[in-house]
């Protein structure tokens, strides 16, 4: 007997991620992940350049390391975004939680690379949702299984930085939209993607086998 784990088997410990109030904080966005092609951090930077033209007080904090970090740093410098985008490098889990606490939304522009590499589903989307944060992401692979477009977050087409920027602008300008999406995100994560639910499903499978 073998159980094939699917994207829906990915779970998060919601107790570690709670207490976010996106409507009560400034328009700050947080991106967490490796600086690699399939996560397209450079496209997040380019999209955010459009955001600050509409919302000058917006800020983006990017957490992570990887081969595209230096390229992103150069783009930030070339576009005079040093006051609007912070590159924090790698951070411990509790430090990431603190960044989430002060954020309006989570953002990540995942896409399929020319070599076919793609992201099945980043667990950080679950963690952000458990915190009560809406996500701005892409209609990419398994992400729509977690982020319900227009209900728990806002999704753009892969590579469409205009859509991505417009979604961030909408959330930056409307704290109540952030709250509505964030509350729905937490409800979805706590009802469908908890570790307890995963263990219960596994118990049921094993019971049937026995």
């Amino acid at each position: 007997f073998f159980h094939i784990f699917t994207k829906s088997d990915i779970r998060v410990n919601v107790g570690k991620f709670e207490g976010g109030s996106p409507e009560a904080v400034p328009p700050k966005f947080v991106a967490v992940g490796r600086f690699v092609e399939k996560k397209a951090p450079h496209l997040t930077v380019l999209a955010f350049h459009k955001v600050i033209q509409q919302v000058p007080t917006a800020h983006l904090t990017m957490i992570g390391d990887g081969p595209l970090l230096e390229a992103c740093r150069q783009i930030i410098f070339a576009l005079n975004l040093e006051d609007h985008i912070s590159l924090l490098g790698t951070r411990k889990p509790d430090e990431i939680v603190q960044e989430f606490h002060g954020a309006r939304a989570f953002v990540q522009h995942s896409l399929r690379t020319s070599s076919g590499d793609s992201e099945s589903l980043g667990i950080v989307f679950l963690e952000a949702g458990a915190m009560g944060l809406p996500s701005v992401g892409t209609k990419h692979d398994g992400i729509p299984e977690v982020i319900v477009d227009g209900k728990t977050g806002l999704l753009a087409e892969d590579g469409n930085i205009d859509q991505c920027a417009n979604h961030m602008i909408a959330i930056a300008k409307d704290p109540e939209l952030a709250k509505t999406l964030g509350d729905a995100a937490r409800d979805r994560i706590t009802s469908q993607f908890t570790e307890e639910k995963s263990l219960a499903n596994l118990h049921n499978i094993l019971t049937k086998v026995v």
Side-chain angles (χ1 to χ4, degrees):
F1 168 77
F2 295 94
H3 171 55
I4 304 301
F5 285 88
T6 64
K7 295 162 189 170
S8 60
D9 290 303
I10 300 175
R11 307 292 167 182
V12 63
N13 184 341
V14 296
K16 294 181 179 179
F17 299 90
E18 57 186 3
S21 299
E23 76 284 2
V25 298
K28 172 185 172 181
F29 295 81
V30 175
V32 181
R34 290 273 296 160
F35 280 63
V36 293
E37 290 182 356
K38 65 182 178 181
K39 295 183 184 291
H42 55 299
L43 296 188
T44 299
V45 170
L46 293 175
F48 199 74
H49 181 233
K50 296 175 178 291
V51 173
I52 64 166
Q53 295 173 26
Q54 296 290 325
V55 187
T57 58
H59 191 275
L60 171 64
T61 296
M62 304 184 76
I63 299 173
D65 198 357
L68 293 182
L69 177 59
E70 181 57 31
C72 287
R73 182 176 287 113
Q74 292 176 10
I75 293 172
I76 291 168
F77 175 77
L79 296 177
N80 297 314
L81 295 174
E82 297 99 321
D83 293 335
H84 300 280
I85 300 179
S86 300
L87 300 176
L88 301 189
T90 56
R91 285 293 186 268
K92 296 178 181 178
D94 60 334
E95 294 175 316
I96 294 175
V97 169
Q98 289 303 312
E99 292 295 332
F100 278 170
H101 270 296
R104 178 74 59 86
F106 173 77
V107 58
Q108 182 172 291
H109 198 111
S110 303
L111 50 71
R112 184 177 297 276
T113 69
S114 58
S115 65
D117 192 16
S118 65
E119 180 169 36
S120 59
L121 173 61
I123 194 171
V124 69
F125 284 102
L126 301 178
E127 295 171 343
M131 180 67 75
L133 297 184
S135 289
V136 175
T138 50
K139 299 173 183 177
H140 172 79
D141 207 352
I143 292 174
E145 293 185 24
V146 175
I147 308 303
V148 182
D149 190 24
K151 294 184 178 180
T152 68
L154 300 173
L155 300 180
E157 299 293 338
D158 287 18
N160 192 325
I161 62 172
D162 287 330
Q163 278 189 344
C164 183
N166 288 337
H167 290 336
M168 284 191 279
I169 290 168
I171 290 175
K173 289 184 174 181
D174 191 347
E176 286 305 312
L177 173 62
K179 175 176 171 52
T180 299
L181 296 173
D183 287 348
R186 180 164 177 78
D187 288 344
R188 180 168 172 78
I189 299 306
T190 55
S191 66
Q192 299 189 34
F193 294 94
T194 64
E195 289 182 347
E196 292 80 5
K197 183 176 178 63
S198 181
L199 290 173
N201 289 342
L202 180 57
H203 179 268
N204 291 335
I205 292 169
L206 294 176
T207 300
K208 290 179 181 178
V209 172
V210 173

